[in-house]
Amino acid sequence: MTTSNSPLQKPLLQGAPQKLTAEDWLMRILLGLGTLWLLVGVIFPLIPMISRSFQDRDGNWVGLANYVKYLTTPTLGQSFGNSLYVALISTLICVLFAFVYAYALTRTRVRGKGIFQTLGMLPLYLPPMAHAIGLIYLFGNQGIVTNGLFGLLPGWDINLYGSTGIILGEILYCFPQALVILVTALSLTDARLYEAAEVMRTSSLRTFLTITLPGVKYGLISAVFVCFILAFTDFGVPKVVGGSFNVLATDIYKQVIGQQNFSMGATISVFLLIPAVMAYIINRIVQRRQTTFVSAKSVPFQPKDNPVLDWGMFVFCSLVALVVLVVFGMIILASVIKVWPYNFSLSLRHYNFGSVGGGGYQAYRNSIVVSLLTAVFGTAIVFINAYLIEKGKGLSGLRSLNAFLSNLPLALPGLVLGLSYVFFFNHPRNPLNFLYATTAILVLCNIIHFYTVCFLTASTALQQVDPEFESVSASMGVPFYKTFWRVTVPISIPAILEIGIYYFVNAMITVSAIVFLYPANFPLAAVAIINMDDAGDVAAAAAMSTLIVFTSIGVKILYHFLTRGLRNRTQAWLKR
């Protein structure tokens, strides 16, 4: 073999540095701007919040005095234990139920899988407060179950207001999150392992313990940590049904909104942040150790008929789906009952928000605007940033930093993120102060709050795009932005659309991240639910919850039909 003396190869053979083109510089500048944007959105706001926890109300440095006061005040220190308690119990029950439900959908031939999967995901479209409102009309002081269907049956008082109500609400809130993870984990199975176990006459129990559980252990661990973080940091459910059972999230709200004590609010935020970050780090370490049970030679698992198991799972899934439907139905029913529980005639009076606080239909319209802006700008920013990380060349350190910052928002509780934005953007010497108390800061906060899931979705989609597209384009002198627009975006359109709908739905239902940020003249629907509940207008809160739910579901359905033709055109290459 002879060595070519082509001038194109000599620099490579001699190790000479390659000259950066204008496109290389553009890509590096965009990557730098993306990293700076994440630093401003994620890291920089945390610094003044943590610093404020070492100051008193007047901004004077007091060291650890706030932490000592918190830990030595019984009513405050107990909240930490309460948060751990409800998070652990909620997580264990939720993951157990979600695992059995996911097992039924993936490993049995239970009937109605599509319906069960749809109903299992229904709580995703409800604000956390809505779950609690539904529980109030079932198990509250005037609830249907508490009063035995108003005297027709024996009553059952479960003492809803307190830890019981919070746990039930968190289970409903976290269930679809765990279900998504576990359905994915249980779907990735090599049927050859089960065929070998069957040939060796291994019992069903031993097969489950030695093949099924080891194969999904990382999915189970991820589901546990995700549910723990959500339940530990949630604000909506404890705010509505917590009663006198204080948790960290409601303590922050009371200190900041009720007492205007921002220093103690920052201190409690640190206590809320540390367990969430620790759970996130442990989960990341576990995921890195994950090994796959599926190879290129794997055979897809096909469930076999097992009448006893199939019918047992059908009954279980039916009961879980019934609970979801009953809670959802109670929210709708409460919004159209004239005066609960004295006048059960149907009425739309609760949808006339003129007589209640919270902002009414203006808040509802504002939420739609913020959600649309979050979906449009968030999707564009996330996908471009993921593209720069996955397809960019050089600056590996900066790309790694960007990827780390992109994963970090998952560990930040919404209340902590929102309060840190108050300290950071409201500082008079901050050049970004003009964003404070505007729609822009609400959109920015929502984009950062839900950034990680969207980033992982975009990265996964881009990793499946063959690098040859970029290589061929570069060899033909086609600018990377043309390749991005004409090739990468069309191929990735399903992921892009999913990111957009994810942003919209979550921006509609979230309350924790924006409860400290919304301007007084720009109310939001999710916050209006909190304000209505505080004022005792629970039926109106149910009506607003119903509007949010049907808007989210309607947008999801509309998005599916409007983009079906777009998906068919951009994904036509898959049918060849």
Side-chain angles (χ1 to χ4, degrees):
M1 180 183 296
T2 59
T3 303
S4 171
N5 292 323
S6 167
L8 294 176
Q9 290 186 346
K10 283 184 179 180
L12 296 176
L13 294 174
Q14 296 172 3
Q18 297 295 300
K19 184 177 180 180
L20 295 177
T21 64
E23 292 179 27
D24 294 332
W25 279 112
L26 176 60
M27 184 171 285
R28 293 185 177 210
I29 290 172
L30 290 174
L31 181 62
L33 291 175
T35 305
L36 178 61
W37 182 81
L38 285 171
L39 286 171
V40 172
V42 181
I43 300 297
F44 293 168
L46 292 177
I47 298 174
M49 187 205 72
I50 296 174
S51 176
R52 186 60 182 267
S53 69
F54 297 101
Q55 302 172 14
D56 61 14
R57 286 175 177 262
D58 300 323
N60 301 313
W61 186 265
V62 294
L64 297 175
N66 289 328
Y67 292 92
V68 173
K69 179 180 179 181
Y70 180 81
L71 293 173
T72 55
T73 303
T75 56
L76 293 176
Q78 189 179 6
S79 299
F80 186 83
N82 290 345
S83 295
L84 281 177
Y85 171 73
V86 298
L88 288 173
I89 300 299
S90 302
T91 297
L92 291 176
I93 298 175
C94 179
V95 172
L96 176 62
F97 276 62
F99 178 80
V100 178
Y101 201 93
Y103 188 90
L105 295 178
T106 57
R107 300 297 181 88
T108 70
R109 302 193 69 175
V110 65
R111 295 183 179 182
K113 286 186 179 182
I115 297 175
F116 285 136
Q117 185 152 13
T118 300
L119 294 178
M121 300 304 295
L122 182 61
L124 274 179
Y125 300 95
L126 277 70
M129 304 79 67
H131 300 300
I133 291 172
L135 291 174
I136 288 175
Y137 282 97
L138 285 171
F139 302 106
N141 296 331
Q142 298 296 330
I144 290 180
V145 177
T146 306
N147 292 296
L149 200 57
F150 306 111
L152 298 179
L153 298 171
W156 181 27
D157 187 358
I158 66 170
N159 296 316
L160 177 71
Y161 298 99
S163 60
T164 302
I166 296 175
I167 290 171
L168 290 176
E170 299 300 351
I171 291 172
L172 287 167
Y173 173 47
C174 298
F175 180 80
Q177 318 281 350
L179 183 62
V180 170
I181 297 172
L182 293 173
V183 165
T184 302
L186 286 165
S187 299
L188 301 175
T189 303
D190 189 352
R192 295 176 301 171
L193 298 173
Y194 291 88
E195 292 171 358
E198 186 177 356
V199 170
M200 298 174 66
R201 297 183 179 179
T202 306
S203 67
S204 299
L205 178 61
R206 188 173 182 183
T207 299
F208 177 79
L209 294 175
T210 58
I211 298 178
T212 303
L213 281 184
V216 300
K217 64 180 179 181
Y218 294 106
L220 275 170
I221 293 172
S222 291
V224 166
F225 282 115
V226 167
C227 289
F228 175 83
I229 292 173
L230 289 174
F232 185 80
T233 62
D234 180 47
F235 165 73
V237 172
K239 180 66 178 67
V240 176
V241 294
S244 60
F245 189 86
N246 294 325
V247 295
L248 289 174
T250 52
D251 275 355
I252 296 173
Y253 183 80
K254 290 175 183 177
Q255 291 293 329
V256 175
I257 301 297
Q259 303 182 26
Q260 295 293 299
N261 190 345
F262 288 89
S263 295
M264 186 55 70
T267 303
I268 303 174
S269 295
V270 174
F271 281 103
L272 188 69
L273 179 63
I274 291 175
V277 172
M278 289 177 62
Y280 166 77
I281 293 173
I282 295 172
N283 187 33
R284 294 289 295 177
I285 293 172
V286 170
Q287 286 180 343
R288 289 182 179 180
R289 299 180 59 185
Q290 182 172 356
T291 55
T292 180
F293 276 69
V294 181
S295 65
K297 298 180 180 179
S298 296
V299 177
F301 180 82
Q302 297 293 335
K304 296 181 180 179
D305 283 325
N306 186 334
V308 175
L309 178 63
D310 293 345
W311 279 106
M313 288 298 180
F314 180 82
V315 172
F316 175 83
C317 291
S318 298
L319 291 174
V320 173
L322 179 63
V323 170
V324 172
L325 278 176
V326 167
V327 173
F328 180 57
M330 288 308 303
I331 299 170
I332 300 174
L333 183 63
S335 70
V336 295
I337 293 296
K338 195 168 186 178
V339 182
W340 185 284
Y342 307 106
N343 186 344
F344 282 89
S345 59
L346 299 181
S347 170
L348 294 178
R349 58 179 292 189
H350 301 303
Y351 287 88
N352 180 13
F353 300 111
S355 60
V356 298
Y361 283 104
Q362 182 60 45
Y364 173 66
R365 289 190 291 269
N366 290 344
S367 288
I368 293 177
V369 171
V370 170
S371 298
L372 286 172
L373 292 174
T374 301
V376 172
F377 288 102
T379 302
I381 292 171
V382 166
F383 192 77
I384 292 174
N385 198 47
Y387 176 83
L388 294 172
I389 293 174
E390 297 295 335
K391 301 298 182 180
K393 297 178 181 179
L395 298 179
S396 58
L398 186 59
R399 285 159 57 201
S400 298
L401 174 62
N402 195 305
F404 169 75
L405 294 174
S406 297
N407 282 277
L408 194 57
L410 189 63
L412 298 180
L415 279 176
V416 174
L417 186 65
L419 188 58
S420 66
Y421 273 36
V422 172
F423 292 128
F424 180 70
F425 288 98
N426 195 32
H427 197 284
R429 291 195 296 270
N430 186 345
L432 298 175
N433 176 263
F434 67 92
L435 293 175
Y436 190 72
T438 65
T439 306
I441 198 171
L442 299 176
V443 174
L444 172 63
C445 189
N446 280 332
I447 292 174
I448 292 295
H449 189 201
F450 305 110
Y451 192 89
T452 300
V453 173
C454 299
F455 172 77
L456 294 175
T457 302
S459 295
T460 301
L462 288 167
Q463 288 168 5
Q464 296 173 353
V465 178
D466 196 331
E468 286 296 318
F469 287 114
E470 284 77 19
S471 300
V472 172
S473 298
S475 65
M476 297 176 64
V478 179
F480 78 90
Y481 48 84
K482 288 188 177 181
T483 305
F484 170 80
W485 183 251
R486 295 178 179 177
V487 179
T488 307
V489 170
I491 291 177
S492 306
I493 203 70
I496 293 173
L497 295 174
E498 286 299 327
I499 292 171
I501 201 68
Y502 180 87
Y503 261 133
F504 181 89
V505 170
N506 282 278
M508 280 293 297
I509 68 174
T510 189
V511 63
S512 59
I514 46 87
V515 70
F516 299 137
L517 291 174
Y518 73 98
N521 61 349
F522 197 83
L524 297 171
V527 180
I529 296 174
I530 294 291
N531 294 333
M532 291 174 186
D533 179 73
D534 283 342
D537 299 313
V538 184
M544 184 64 77
S545 299
T546 302
L547 286 177
I548 293 176
V549 172
F550 280 111
T551 300
S552 298
I553 295 176
V555 168
K556 177 75 173 179
I557 295 173
L558 184 64
Y559 137 87
H560 174 75
F561 285 106
L562 291 180
T563 60
R564 184 169 54 181
L566 177 62
R567 288 196 303 269
N568 290 337
R569 288 195 300 272
T570 58
Q571 302 296 299
W573 61 280
L574 290 173
K575 302 176 183 179
R576 294 179 180 176

